[in-house]
Amino acid sequence: MENKIFVFGHQKPDTDTIASSIVLANLQTALGKNATAYKLGNVNKETAYALKTFEVEEPQTLNEVDENCDVMLVDHNEFAQSVNGVEKSNIKMVVDHHKIKFETKEPLFYIAEPLGCTASILYKLYKQNDVEISKPMAGLMLSAIISDTLLFKSPTCTDEDKKIAEKLAKIADVDVDVYGKEMLKAGTDISEFTPYQVINIDSKEFSDKNARFEISQVNAVDLDSVFSRQSELEDAIQKEIKEKNLDFYMFAATDILNANSKIIAIGNKANTVEKAFGVTLNNNTAMLDNVVSRKKQMLPNILNNLD
Amino acid sequence: MENKIFVFGHQKPDTDTIASSIVLANLQTALGKNATAYKLGNVNKETAYALKTFEVEEPQTLNEVDENCDVMLVDHNEFAQSVNGVEKSNIKMVVDHHKIKFETKEPLFYIAEPLGCTASILYKLYKQNDVEISKPMAGLMLSAIISDTLLFKSPTCTDEDKKIAEKLAKIADVDVDVYGKEMLKAGTDISEFTPYQVINIDSKEFSDKNARFEISQVNAVDLDSVFSRQSELEDAIQKEIKEKNLDFYMFAATDILNANSKIIAIGNKANTVEKAFGVTLNNNTAMLDNVVSRKKQMLPNILNNLD
């Protein structure tokens, strides 16, 4: 029997990372390899909803790999976002849609495309290899596209992602809009989370020579319910600013049905946010119309207005 | 009109690099892009033979690119092997079959497979994009496979390279064996080269903590003719050893018809070569049966026997 292959996505897994791990392991198995999907951390509620809907089991957790392990990476390539020991393992394949910072000693399969979602690339690999896509695999790939593109509303979404999603929806036998909204909604339930947990669901720190700041984002279907906790969220944000010595902190609750974001911005340089989006902060908050993507909208606008 | 795209391979171009540049530019043009192939240095005699046979013009030389240039890389990915300024350019695509050491700021197309030749990957891209392969393009891709695999004799050659070569030979309307030998022979004409030029046709320096050494390789159809110049080649080698402070130098003339290599090994640690290949040097020379690949055979055997 061939060496076992460990297939996994990035730390702090999202729906694309978990779905793509399972789907690539399934494709490799169909091609005769001994491949198994793993996760590097707990799955979120949105992903759990997708797995339950399509009756697919959650992968086991992987803590580290060693130099004897054959591995395949999905939805990431930078070692800093990967499993412990990945730099010594035998990387056989990478399937990803992010910028690249990567190095290996041996030739390998590396398949990256500038699409909205890793699962869209995997769909094309099934077609190229002439492997049939089962209903559960179609459901997971569709869930990943819906998640990464916020139901096609994110500027990261391409025409190709949309077309692939339509084909997958037929195989998965679901109405994209109905299922997509339910899945996204499942991921917005933050009622059991502490304020600290809420602002750390998906938070990234950035810095340039002028400022150090953090942008945190949560998906929501009811902005009022998120902002009913504004006071305790601000306390948690203030604590982060102090501990990390940040110039400002922007928390964005993104309305996934209407494709807007309502923000809280706090810190010495919080006025950067006002300039970046042409808004005035009122009680530390503002509404950003048509802004949903941290990568393509929030971050570039802020970076262009730092001083 | 869309931005012009510059398509090119590595410095010191070989047949795969030139052919793949032309072939990818052709594919991108068929897909509606404004793409042009370039070379980073003079084409060798083997490549010139392939271009003449299939009536394809040699690309223009590219000296540098700037930050406004859209570029696509073939047959390499490391910036050290690429054009001046590549690190600031907009890299849109990489198609390659080497190990990876790569970094960009934006997502892009990156397609690597562990095959014998970049052109084999390009053949698959034509198929995936449903673009017809013309006779000249088939001829160039076939030439690249023959060159990189030494007419399928190198251990770097995969079954997939062979199958693709057969399909390309039909489109190109040539007998693979007859054309392949003629093309490889065309690259072995070193009669006009000085001894210094001969040993530097394809030479790479290596080092580990125990030794610094160089392995030079030329293709040949007549080993006797190469070794009739042994004395002057040894003078050139001695000079390199002294100038670069090498522990030893191995020059290999690879018989491309019989898949053997006859070597000259000189230097304080030349006995490493004896241990590495289980041979005894006689008048500084030895015959290495079935050894043709520097990457997969010569280098690993030497590295395992350094002390």
Side-chain angles (χ1 to χ4, degrees):
Chain A
M1 185 109 187
E2 275 202 63
N3 269 358
K4 174 171 173 169
I5 301 171
F6 296 76
V7 184
F8 49 84
H10 55 74
Q11 298 166 12
K12 298 183 188 173
D14 57 14
T15 300
D16 189 23
T17 257
I18 295 292
S20 291
S21 305
I22 295 169
V23 167
L24 179 59
N26 180 277
L27 173 61
Q28 293 296 336
T29 302
L31 295 172
K33 304 284 184 186
N34 179 18
T36 307
Y38 288 89
K39 67 180 194 288
L40 304 189
N42 293 333
V43 304
N44 63 36
K45 289 182 178 179
E46 179 196 280
T47 308
Y49 181 88
L51 291 169
K52 196 178 166 196
T53 301
F54 296 103
E55 297 176 346
V56 178
E57 268 188 52
E58 200 178 303
Q60 298 289 305
T61 301
L62 185 66
N63 291 313
E64 60 180 338
V65 294
D66 66 30
E67 58 197 355
N68 301 313
C69 286
D70 286 352
V71 308
M72 295 187 174
L73 315 187
V74 295
D75 197 31
H76 74 300
N77 68 81
E78 302 192 30
F79 294 167
Q81 300 165 6
S82 196
V83 74
N84 290 325
V86 69
E87 65 283 354
K88 292 181 199 155
S89 69
N90 306 314
I91 305 177
K92 296 290 182 186
M93 188 175 209
V94 177
V95 184
D96 190 24
H97 69 129
H98 294 92
K99 72 188 176 71
I100 298 179
K101 184 179 177 181
F102 187 74
E103 188 168 352
T104 50
K105 287 188 179 170
E106 296 291 332
L108 74 161
F109 286 89
Y110 196 114
I111 302 159
E113 296 196 26
L115 295 179
C117 171
T118 303
S120 297
I121 305 168
L122 290 172
Y123 171 85
K124 294 165 78 174
L125 289 183
Y126 271 80
K127 292 291 160 191
Q128 285 162 27
N129 286 286
D130 218 10
V131 173
E132 200 184 342
I133 299 172
S134 67
K135 184 175 167 179
M137 293 305 117
L140 291 186
M141 285 189 265
L142 176 64
S143 301
I145 297 174
I146 292 167
S147 172
D148 266 19
T149 68
L150 281 182
L151 201 42
F152 318 128
K153 292 202 183 81
S154 170
T156 59
C157 185
T158 69
D159 286 342
E160 205 169 356
D161 293 302
K162 278 184 217 168
K163 281 179 196 157
I164 290 171
E166 282 167 21
K167 289 175 187 164
L168 289 168
K170 277 183 195 156
I171 304 172
D173 195 22
V174 294
D175 179 297
V176 179
D177 203 56
V178 173
Y179 170 70
K181 283 178 181 164
E182 285 307 313
M183 187 199 79
L184 290 173
K185 266 187 206 172
T188 64
D189 177 9
I190 54 171
S191 56
E192 291 164 16
F193 289 17
T194 66
Y196 173 81
Q197 287 172 328
V198 171
I199 65 170
N200 281 295
I201 285 173
D202 181 10
S203 186
K204 286 188 181 166
E205 192 176 317
F206 304 94
S207 61
D208 79 349
K209 63 183 192 303
N210 294 311
R212 173 196 295 271
F213 59 99
E214 197 155 328
I215 308 177
S216 166
Q217 187 173 27
V218 296
N219 289 343
V221 283
D222 177 4
L223 292 178
D224 288 343
S225 136
V226 177
F227 279 79
S228 71
R229 300 173 69 181
Q230 182 179 345
S231 167
E232 59 179 30
L233 290 172
E234 288 193 6
D235 291 345
I237 291 169
Q238 291 283 15
K239 213 171 159 187
E240 293 279 296
I241 290 174
K242 208 168 170 183
E243 276 173 12
K244 297 180 177 172
N245 200 20
L246 302 173
D247 292 302
F248 66 94
Y249 192 113
M250 177 170 120
F251 168 83
T254 296
D255 181 337
I256 55 177
L257 302 183
N258 299 304
N260 300 316
S261 293
K262 187 172 179 183
I263 61 164
I264 300 174
I266 302 179
N268 290 334
K269 294 192 177 178
N271 65 328
T272 307
V273 173
E274 296 188 315
K275 277 191 289 179
F277 303 100
V279 294
T280 304
L281 290 171
N282 182 357
N283 185 26
N284 296 330
T285 74
M287 180 65 87
L288 310 185
D289 288 334
N290 302 316
V291 173
V292 299
S293 169
R294 178 167 54 198
K295 182 166 70 175
K296 290 230 173 184
Q297 296 174 308
M298 299 177 196
L299 182 58
N301 276 332
I302 288 175
L303 288 175
N304 287 332
N305 286 281
L306 288 174
D307 53 28
Chain B
M1 185 108 186
E2 274 201 63
N3 269 358
K4 173 171 174 170
I5 301 170
F6 296 77
V7 185
F8 50 84
H10 55 73
Q11 297 167 13
K12 298 183 186 172
D14 57 13
T15 300
D16 189 23
T17 257
I18 296 292
S20 292
S21 304
I22 295 169
V23 167
L24 180 57
N26 180 278
L27 173 61
Q28 292 297 336
T29 302
L31 294 173
K33 303 283 183 187
N34 178 17
T36 307
Y38 287 89
K39 67 180 196 288
L40 304 189
N42 292 334
V43 304
N44 63 36
K45 290 182 179 179
E46 179 194 280
T47 308
Y49 181 88
L51 290 170
K52 196 179 166 194
T53 302
F54 295 103
E55 297 176 344
V56 178
E57 270 189 51
E58 201 177 303
Q60 298 290 306
T61 301
L62 186 66
N63 291 313
E64 60 179 338
V65 293
D66 66 29
E67 57 197 357
N68 301 314
C69 286
D70 286 352
V71 308
M72 295 187 176
L73 314 186
V74 295
D75 198 31
H76 76 297
N77 68 81
E78 302 191 28
F79 294 167
Q81 301 164 7
S82 195
V83 75
N84 291 326
V86 68
E87 66 283 355
K88 290 179 201 156
S89 69
N90 306 315
I91 305 177
K92 295 292 184 186
M93 189 175 208
V94 177
V95 185
D96 189 26
H97 68 130
H98 294 93
K99 72 188 176 71
I100 297 177
K101 184 179 177 181
F102 188 75
E103 188 169 351
T104 50
K105 287 188 180 169
E106 295 291 332
L108 74 161
F109 285 89
Y110 196 115
I111 301 161
E113 295 197 26
L115 295 178
C117 172
T118 304
S120 298
I121 305 169
L122 289 173
Y123 171 85
K124 294 165 78 174
L125 289 183
Y126 270 80
K127 291 291 160 191
Q128 284 162 28
N129 286 286
D130 217 10
V131 173
E132 201 184 341
I133 298 173
S134 67
K135 184 175 167 178
M137 293 305 116
L140 291 186
M141 284 190 265
L142 176 64
S143 302
I145 297 174
I146 291 167
S147 172
D148 266 17
T149 68
L150 282 182
L151 202 41
F152 318 126
K153 292 202 182 80
S154 170
T156 58
C157 185
T158 69
D159 286 342
E160 204 168 358
D161 293 302
K162 278 184 217 167
K163 281 179 194 158
I164 291 170
E166 283 168 20
K167 288 175 186 164
L168 289 168
K170 279 185 193 155
I171 304 171
D173 195 22
V174 294
D175 180 298
V176 179
D177 204 54
V178 173
Y179 170 71
K181 281 177 182 162
E182 285 308 312
M183 186 199 79
L184 290 173
K185 265 186 206 169
T188 65
D189 176 11
I190 54 172
S191 56
E192 292 164 15
F193 289 16
T194 66
Y196 173 81
Q197 287 172 328
V198 171
I199 64 170
N200 282 296
I201 286 173
D202 182 10
S203 186
K204 284 188 182 167
E205 191 177 319
F206 304 95
S207 61
D208 79 349
K209 63 183 192 301
N210 294 311
R212 175 195 295 268
F213 59 99
E214 196 154 328
I215 307 177
S216 165
Q217 187 173 27
V218 297
N219 288 344
V221 284
D222 178 5
L223 292 177
D224 288 344
S225 136
V226 177
F227 279 79
S228 70
R229 300 173 70 182
Q230 181 177 348
S231 167
E232 59 178 31
L233 290 172
E234 286 192 7
D235 290 345
I237 290 169
Q238 290 285 14
K239 214 170 157 189
E240 293 279 298
I241 290 173
K242 208 169 170 182
E243 277 174 10
K244 296 180 177 172
N245 199 20
L246 302 174
D247 292 301
F248 66 95
Y249 192 112
M250 177 168 124
F251 169 82
T254 296
D255 181 336
I256 54 177
L257 302 183
N258 298 305
N260 299 318
S261 293
K262 187 171 178 182
I263 61 163
I264 300 174
I266 301 179
N268 290 335
K269 294 193 175 178
N271 66 331
T272 306
V273 173
E274 296 188 315
K275 278 190 288 179
F277 302 102
V279 295
T280 305
L281 290 170
N282 183 357
N283 185 25
N284 298 331
T285 74
M287 180 65 87
L288 309 185
D289 289 334
N290 302 316
V291 173
V292 298
S293 168
R294 176 166 55 197
K295 182 166 71 173
K296 288 230 175 185
Q297 296 173 309
M298 299 176 195
L299 182 59
N301 275 331
I302 288 175
L303 287 175
N304 288 331
N305 284 282
L306 289 173
D307 53 27

